[in-house]
Amino acid sequence: MPYLVRDNLFIGNISDAAEILQNGGAAAAAGGGDFTHILSVLSSASISFFSEWRPSISIPVIEISKVYVSGAGSGDSGKCALPPEKLLYSLEYAGRDLKLVRMAVPLKDTENEDLLDYLEVCIDFIDRSRKEGSVLVHCFAGVSRRFHLSSFLLLNVLT
């Protein structure tokens, strides 16, 4: 079950995301509206990650766009340690009725990966999403990556 962090912001794990994607966005818990957006921070940006995790799952998607480091348009591109050809994130309509917007960030849960390289685009997505409905931020186990993103967002909002 996703945990409410702040108005329209929930954190969870892959199981929470799979449930929302399969059953539609109306699965929001008390304290938030229907889910409209999902931020997936997994080792792969592909929706097939869900069916590899649990073969019985089939989630329809329509790709909106893929953004690579070289095309991100960030003024801070000199600070990014990622190679220009690396996928920064993908956006897609996903779920039973293709009404959820899913941003998928390919970030492995290893000490070699730097969350800061993805932080700005993730916080922007969360901020925009919370204005339209509820957003679920999740990683695989629901422990480190989603927690750090939510913490950075709260620090950004509170300071």
Side-chain angles (χ1 to χ4, degrees):
M1 179 165 146
Y3 297 98
L4 178 64
V5 175
R6 195 173 171 97
D7 294 339
N8 294 335
L9 173 61
F10 292 82
I11 55 176
N13 59 30
I14 192 170
S15 182
D16 298 324
E19 181 179 334
I20 292 164
L21 287 164
Q22 288 182 299
N23 299 322
D34 291 348
F35 283 106
T36 56
H37 295 75
I38 294 178
L39 174 55
S40 297
V41 187
L42 299 166
S43 58
S44 169
S46 173
I47 196 74
S48 67
F49 191 91
F50 285 88
S51 57
E52 292 166 9
W53 165 67
R54 190 167 286 158
S56 62
I57 292 178
S58 176
I59 300 169
V61 296
I62 295 177
E63 183 180 296
I64 299 171
S65 65
K66 288 186 177 181
V67 176
Y68 294 85
V69 172
S70 62
S74 172
D76 294 337
S77 59
K79 295 179 182 179
C80 183
L82 299 172
E85 68 278 359
K86 173 130 173 85
L87 178 66
L88 190 58
Y89 65 88
S90 65
L91 280 176
E92 57 199 11
Y93 294 112
R96 185 178 64 191
D97 299 327
L98 296 172
K99 291 182 179 177
L100 293 160
V101 176
R102 178 177 173 262
M103 179 178 176
V105 177
L107 181 66
K108 295 178 181 155
D109 194 11
T110 66
E111 58 187 54
N112 296 343
E113 291 275 13
D114 190 351
L115 179 61
L116 295 177
D117 290 330
Y118 302 89
L119 187 61
E120 185 178 330
V121 294
C122 290
I123 287 178
D124 288 346
F125 178 80
I126 293 168
D127 281 341
R128 286 191 317 270
S129 301
R130 289 179 61 217
K131 293 173 185 166
E132 297 177 28
S134 290
V135 59
L136 172 71
V137 177
H138 80 94
C139 59
F140 185 79
V143 178
S144 58
R145 291 168 285 187
R146 59 98 192 214
F147 170 77
H148 286 100
L149 279 172
S150 300
S151 298
F152 282 128
L153 174 69
L154 290 174
L155 288 172
N156 189 36
V157 168
L158 299 175
T159 57

